[in-house]
Structure formats: C-alpha cells, structure tokens
Amino acid sequence: MIADVVPTTTWYLVLGAVLFGIGAVGVLVRRNPLVLFMCIELMLNAVNLTFVSLSDRLGDIGGQTAVFFVLVVAAAEVVVGLGIVISILRRRAGLTADDLTELRG
Amino acid sequence: MTLVVFVLASIMVLGGGVGVVIMRNPVHAALSLVLTLFGVAVHFVAMEAHFLAAVQVIVYAGAIVVLFLFVLMLLGVDKVENLRIEPLAVQRPLAAVMGMALVGLIVAAVIDTRDAVLTGVGGGIDVAANTALAEEVGGHDANIRQLSDNLFSQYVFAFELTSVLLVVAVAATVLMTRKLPDRPDDGGGGE
C-alpha cells in the first residue's frame, strides 16, 4: 500500500541535494546580486535540511544545534551583503554582477 | 500520511527553488524563496524539529526575506531582468552540466552510504522510530529541551561568539552604508 510508505532519511538527503544543485545553478547563471544572495539562501537551506534529517536519523540533537548556528550566520551574511550592495549602488547605476569586475570604487 | 506531507512539502521546496532561479522579476524570486522556506519548515515539523521550524518561519521568512524585499524596493532594482542577454554564451550549458553533476555525485554518495549509516547506529530509520526516542526524554517540548540543553552546555562558547559576530555585522553595515561626512578623513563621529 502506497500510503504506508514512510519517507526515510535518504529521501530527505536526496531532496537536500537537489535543492543545493538548484541553488548552485542559480548562483552560476543569475547576474543580479540580490538574486545571487537568494540562491545562496537556497543552498544554506539545503544544508539545513540535511543537518536536521541526519540529526533525526542518528538521534543526535547536535545537528539541530548546527542548524541554529547556520541561521545566525546566514542572518549576519545577508545583513553585510545587502550593505555592500547598497553602498555599491550609491556609486554606480547598473546592478549586475558582471559590472563589478574591479575592486575600484 | 507522512508520505503525503513529504510529497507536498517537497513540491513547495523544489517549486520555490526553481522559481528563485527562473523568475525574471527579483520580487517574484523573493516570494518564491518564501515558498521554499515554508516547505523546509514543514519538513522540519515532519522531522520533529519544532523549534527550528518556528525559527525558520520567523527569522528566514519573516526577517531575512523582508530585508531582501526592503532592499529591492529601496534601491528600485525591482525591474524585470532580461534573462535572454547572456554575455558568456557557454555559461548556461556549463552551469546546467555542473549542477547535474553535483546533484548526481551527492545522490550517488547518499545512495551508496545508505546502508553504512544504517549499520552505524542502532536507532530507527524513519521519523516514527525517532518519536520514541524523543518521548523518552519526555513531553511535548522534548525537542526544545534537548536543543537548549545541548546549546547551553556543549556549545555555549560558540553561542557566545555568535553575539560577537552579530555585533560586528551590525557595526560594519552601519559604518559601510552611512552617508560619508564632508571630510572623508573624519574617522569616527556622527553624521
């Protein structure tokens, strides 16, 4: 009976892998820095999913603690990254990652 | 039932993820990101990580995505991006190949080590088996108890360090984005 099938850890790990791949492809093909940040968030979420599924699988709460720290670091990363984007946009009009080939302000 | 939850949440996660990558309007991409984050939160609930599910909704969907939307609106960059222009002709096919290869490698490793993980631990394989483990610690708030126990004993030093990280991030952002005074070499001081 198909309703009795219970999703195992492997399913979650595969889902996390696919989500990580989507995020990685997004980082490679998109050129808007803000969308790049969103794709990085996708990859972080894929890793979080993997952490929690293995934490559940192994009965070890340490994986969920790691996710907690990933959340904190992701928040700090977004704050700093958006600050950089804002200060770049103050100096030049265009906003694609291709325009930012030099470190010169 | 768990299968239905898994399938529906996975559709949310993957649909949102694809949406972030292919949406031409950055605001739509941010809203697709919300869909993904909610799907991941549903998965967290299914895996009994209740605290992280709540934090996922509040911090990620509530704070981080709002920050994204705020910056999009503030900068006025919520224009539709023309995705047809591609300066590097080979970039997209290469990126697709690399993504496929990455996913293929990880999935192959997961499938390959599936049994190794199984023998390494005596616990159950599925969500239902772990419920017993959670309940033996006790009560409906077992997840939060376990997490806080772990966080404030084993990882308390790392927890304290995150406060340093947050202060540094906030100070750096304020310093970076404030309007410069007339004399650039002013150093500290107010606006």
Side-chain angles (χ1 to χ4, degrees):
Chain A
M1 193 61 198
I2 197 162
D4 295 333
V5 178
V6 176
T8 62
T9 306
T10 308
W11 298 26
Y12 286 104
L13 293 181
V14 170
L15 176 68
V18 174
L19 186 62
F20 192 88
I22 291 173
V25 170
V27 169
L28 289 175
V29 301
R30 293 303 295 257
R31 288 181 299 145
N32 187 333
L34 290 164
V35 181
L36 291 187
F37 275 116
M38 294 179 205
C39 293
I40 293 172
E41 296 301 319
L42 283 185
M43 296 166 78
L44 286 172
N45 267 281
V47 175
N48 284 352
L49 202 57
T50 306
F51 263 127
V52 173
S53 66
L54 283 175
S55 155
D56 184 51
R57 169 73 187 75
L58 301 175
D60 183 355
I61 200 76
Q64 298 188 19
T65 314
V67 173
F68 180 82
F69 288 122
V70 170
L71 278 166
V72 175
V73 174
E77 169 241 326
V78 166
V79 168
V80 174
L82 294 184
I84 292 174
V85 169
I86 288 179
S87 51
I88 286 173
L89 271 196
R90 283 234 182 97
R91 288 171 174 76
R92 49 177 85 204
L95 185 74
T96 70
D98 292 340
D99 300 334
L100 305 175
T101 54
E102 304 167 341
L103 283 176
R104 262 190 302 135
Chain B
M1 190 59 199
T2 40
L3 184 71
V4 175
V5 172
F6 180 86
V7 170
L8 288 180
S10 298
I11 290 172
M12 283 170 72
V13 168
L14 296 179
V18 171
V20 171
V21 176
I22 67 170
M23 286 290 181
R24 297 164 65 218
N25 190 329
V27 175
H28 295 170
L31 295 177
S32 300
L33 183 63
V34 174
L35 189 66
T36 298
L37 298 176
F38 272 114
V40 173
V42 172
H43 278 307
F44 282 177
V45 172
M47 288 185 284
E48 312 241 323
H50 300 127
F51 175 74
L52 287 179
V55 170
Q56 175 90 2
V57 171
I58 294 171
V59 173
Y60 255 125
I64 293 183
V65 174
V66 169
L67 196 63
F68 272 122
L69 288 172
F70 184 75
V71 171
L72 281 172
M73 303 295 177
L74 178 76
L75 297 177
V77 289
D78 52 336
K79 296 187 210 75
V80 171
E81 186 183 347
N82 189 353
L83 292 179
R84 300 199 181 283
I85 303 172
E86 183 55 69
L88 285 169
V90 293
Q91 189 181 6
R92 292 231 175 113
L94 274 182
V97 169
M98 199 228 72
M100 295 284 188
L102 186 66
V103 173
L105 274 177
I106 300 177
V107 169
V110 165
I111 301 291
D112 193 41
T113 57
R114 183 176 46 176
D115 296 327
V117 176
L118 252 173
T119 54
V121 189
I125 187 173
D126 54 14
V127 177
N130 207 273
T131 314
L133 197 141
E135 276 171 0
E136 108 189 357
V137 180
H140 55 279
D141 56 350
N143 174 246
I144 297 179
R145 279 168 188 262
Q146 283 178 315
L147 188 58
S148 58
D149 221 34
N150 191 253
L151 186 62
F152 293 119
S153 59
Q154 195 175 349
Y155 295 103
V156 67
F157 186 62
F159 180 74
E160 298 294 340
L161 280 183
T162 58
S163 64
V164 177
L165 175 73
L166 287 175
V167 169
V168 169
V170 169
T173 307
V174 169
L175 203 64
M176 202 159 47
T177 56
R178 77 186 171 134
K179 293 251 190 293
L180 289 175
D182 290 339
R183 288 181 302 150
D185 295 334
D186 198 14
E191 291 284 347

